[in-house]
């Protein structure tokens, strides 16, 4: 696959702590956050296999060229291929003689910087802090093939297919379907508008069906949501949405936008029984003024058992709302979901089993067949 390396105004950085947290820096502050913890990562191999090429190079983990002139090339052409256990990147070196001593490759688990020195100036061929997934940097190999630089990166997870070298909207929307395995996505949060806009973005990218409980409810009631709430109250609307969610719980390959605020079922702790049929993402407007406080706010929110949204598996913090950044928010959602599923690859299968057993409210500790939800004594459980 041929692509062009370009700089992006969107940057994701993930902090592998307990719980998992991640920050998305765009003009508004975003924070994808997941309840699950990652398994320990296997130790890296310390040696590179011997190869019969004199110009093969093992990367230098420490590259200091801050005192040298640099230039950045944002349109470097490259070819990318996935070879199961490793991925290969081919970059055009351009005009002029380039020898192995002029090449500098700096690889880390999730980042890659490639520079070439020509006429005393360092030219950046590619620089990204968001590789599609983790690599084993000590096993990185590169060599020059005529006018191309060829770089081989060893995957940490050989089972995961990489659509591209970098994590982007395009690569995530193309690659995450192998992880979702048809499981639907439910968007919850304070704003019906935000939920609906992001649902549409995700549905287009994934090839899923976009569904909106607000639209379905208004079509059923033949009146606006505002008039329904005024006439019958928010409890009646929430109960009607719960019935809609029950009917959608067996729907595969859908992105479902739920009602925001107090009138929605998702805001109520005991009405999550059918929401657990899919992956749940809380799109949360933040009051935080900086990234660190947003992370702490997300952590507190997820630990608040009295709040329905705290049942969500992922929370994405928004430092404000601008529809122009809908795709950036959708990308943050996919990135967080990718990490959630990679932490437990059995999650889609567990969701499928949960649905087959009737969405009894026993998520994530699924009980044996024949278990009766009415025997649960926990009043705060999502068994409505």
């Amino acid at each position: 696959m041929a692509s062009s390396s370009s700089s992006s105004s969107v940057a994701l950085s993930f902090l592998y702590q307990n719980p998992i947290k991640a920050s998305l820096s765009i003009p508004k502050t975003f924070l994808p956050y997941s309840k699950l913890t990652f398994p320990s990562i296997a130790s890296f191999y310390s040696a590179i296999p011997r190869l019969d090429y004199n110009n093969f190079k093992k990367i230098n983990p420490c590259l200091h060229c801050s005192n040298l002139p640099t230039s950045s090339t944002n349109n470097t052409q490259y070819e990318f291929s996935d070879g199961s256990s490793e991925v290969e990147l081919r970059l055009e070196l351009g005009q002029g003689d380039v020898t192995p001593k002029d090449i500098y490759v700096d690889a880390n688990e999730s980042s890659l910087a490639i520079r070439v020195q020509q006429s005393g100036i360092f030219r950046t061929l590619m620089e990204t802090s968001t590789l599609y997934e983790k690599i084993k940097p000590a096993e990185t190999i590169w060599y020059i093939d005529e006018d191309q630089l060829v770089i081989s990166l060893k995957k940490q997870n050989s089972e995961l297919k990489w659509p591209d070298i970098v994590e982007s909207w395009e690569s995530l929307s193309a690659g995450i379907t192998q992880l979702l395995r048809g499981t639907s996505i439910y968007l919850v949060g304070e704003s019906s508008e935000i939920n609906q806009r992001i649902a549409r973005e995700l549905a287009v990218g994934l090839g899923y069906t976009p569904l909106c409980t607000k639209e379905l409810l208004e079509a059923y009631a033949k009146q606006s949501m505002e008039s329904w709430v005024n006439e019958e109250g928010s409890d009646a609307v929430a109960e009607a949405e719960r019935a809609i969610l029950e009917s959608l719980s067996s729907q595969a390959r859908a992105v479902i936008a739920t009602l925001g605020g107090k009138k929605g079922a998702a805001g109520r702790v005991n009405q999550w029984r059918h929401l657990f049929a899919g992956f749940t993402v809380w799109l949360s407007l933040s009051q935080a003024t900086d990234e660190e406080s947003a992370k702490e706010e997300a952590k507190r929110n997820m630990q608040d058992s009295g709040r329905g949204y705290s049942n969500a598996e992922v929370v994405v913090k928004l430092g404000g709302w601008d529809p122009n950044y809908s795709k950036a928010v959708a990308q943050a959602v996919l990135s967080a979901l990718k990490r959630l599923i990679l932490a437990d690859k059995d999650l889609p299968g567990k969701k499928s089993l949960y649905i087959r057993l009737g969405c009894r409210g026993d998520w994530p500790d699924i009980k044996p067949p024949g278990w009766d939800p009415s025997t649960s004594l926990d009043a705060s459980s999502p068994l409505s």
Side-chain angles (χ1 to χ4, degrees):
M1 177 177 63
S3 302
S4 175
S5 171
S6 62
S7 59
S8 172
S9 62
V10 179
L12 277 168
S13 72
F14 288 83
L15 310 178
Y16 294 93
Q17 300 174 356
N18 184 10
I20 299 168
K21 292 178 284 190
S23 63
L24 168 62
S25 299
I26 63 174
K28 307 288 185 182
T29 301
F30 290 81
L31 175 65
Y33 173 105
S34 163
K35 287 182 177 178
L36 296 185
T37 55
F38 279 98
S40 60
I41 299 173
S43 301
F44 298 149
Y45 292 103
S46 59
I48 292 179
R50 290 186 177 274
L51 296 168
D52 296 328
Y53 294 93
N54 293 328
N55 60 348
F56 267 55
K57 298 291 182 180
K58 182 176 179 180
I59 65 165
N60 182 356
C62 298
L63 170 61
H64 303 285
C65 53
S66 57
N67 295 326
L68 295 171
T70 63
S71 68
S72 178
T73 302
N74 293 329
N75 58 353
T76 302
Q77 295 297 313
Y78 69 88
E79 299 174 9
F80 172 80
S81 60
D82 186 318
S84 184
S85 64
E86 60 189 23
V87 294
E88 182 180 274
L89 185 65
R90 287 177 171 264
L91 299 103
E92 298 292 336
L93 290 173
Q95 298 179 347
D97 294 332
V98 178
T99 65
K101 68 179 182 180
D102 299 320
I103 303 294
Y104 295 84
V105 178
D106 186 10
N108 292 290
E109 280 189 342
S110 302
S111 65
L112 179 67
I114 306 165
R115 299 179 176 89
V116 58
Q117 183 180 10
Q118 290 177 306
S119 302
I121 297 177
F122 275 98
R123 181 165 58 94
T124 300
L125 297 182
M126 173 178 284
E127 185 166 14
T128 178
S129 60
T130 54
L131 291 172
Y132 186 76
E133 192 44 47
K134 288 183 177 294
I135 62 168
K136 300 176 181 179
E139 296 189 51
T140 299
I141 301 169
W142 63 264
Y143 63 94
I144 297 175
D145 181 14
E146 296 183 352
D147 59 349
Q148 288 187 324
L149 174 64
V150 183
I151 302 173
S152 176
L153 304 170
K154 185 74 71 172
K155 298 178 184 178
Q156 287 194 21
N157 182 352
S158 61
E159 297 179 1
L160 182 66
K161 182 75 173 176
W162 289 32
D164 198 359
I165 188 67
V166 297
E167 184 181 86
S168 64
W169 167 251
E170 291 75 16
S171 64
L172 283 168
S173 56
I176 199 171
T177 52
Q178 64 181 304
L179 299 175
L180 290 172
R181 285 154 46 188
T183 308
S184 291
I185 299 170
Y186 291 82
L187 302 182
V188 305
E190 298 86 350
S191 171
S192 299
E193 177 197 353
I194 295 176
N195 295 345
Q196 187 171 359
R197 281 186 175 270
I198 304 308
R200 288 174 178 169
E201 289 283 357
L202 290 170
V204 170
L206 299 173
Y208 273 30
T209 301
L211 296 171
C212 175
T213 59
K214 179 176 181 288
E215 292 180 350
L216 294 172
L217 287 166
E218 288 180 338
Y220 165 76
K222 295 181 174 56
Q223 62 179 326
S224 70
M225 188 57 57
E226 290 71 19
S227 64
W228 192 351
V229 172
N230 290 335
E231 290 180 11
E232 301 187 36
S234 58
D235 288 347
V237 173
E239 176 58 28
E241 187 184 31
R242 184 207 62 77
I244 291 286
L245 292 170
E246 180 177 0
S247 68
L248 295 177
S249 61
S250 59
Q251 174 77 40
R253 296 176 178 83
V255 186
I256 299 156
T258 64
L259 283 175
K262 297 180 180 180
K263 60 182 174 292
R268 300 159 189 249
V269 176
N270 64 347
Q271 292 198 0
W272 273 68
R273 176 173 170 178
H274 298 96
L275 285 165
F276 288 134
F279 290 112
T280 51
V281 181
W282 177 9
L283 302 176
S284 174
L285 289 168
S286 174
Q287 300 300 317
T289 57
D290 57 68
E291 186 175 303
E292 287 304 315
S293 57
K295 292 176 183 178
E296 291 303 316
E297 181 185 64
K299 184 176 180 179
R300 291 193 303 271
N301 290 161
M302 295 296 262
Q303 293 173 344
D304 183 3
S305 59
R307 196 171 187 179
Y309 300 137
S310 66
N311 287 320
E313 290 149 308
V314 170
V315 58
V316 179
K317 280 290 180 181
L318 290 77
W321 171 241
D322 185 340
N324 292 325
Y325 291 104
S326 294
K327 186 169 288 186
V329 181
Q331 179 178 333
V333 169
L334 291 185
S335 186
L337 286 174
K338 185 184 76 170
R339 283 149 177 75
L340 178 79
I341 300 171
L342 287 176
D344 184 354
K345 297 176 184 177
D346 294 330
L347 274 176
K350 292 177 182 177
K351 293 286 186 182
S352 178
L353 175 62
Y354 179 78
I355 294 170
R356 293 198 305 272
L357 290 175
C359 296
R360 303 172 299 178
D362 51 344
W363 182 266
D365 301 316
I366 301 176
K367 304 297 189 294
W371 177 75
D372 183 359
S374 64
T375 61
S376 174
L377 300 179
D378 184 359
S380 65
S381 64
L383 298 179
S384 174

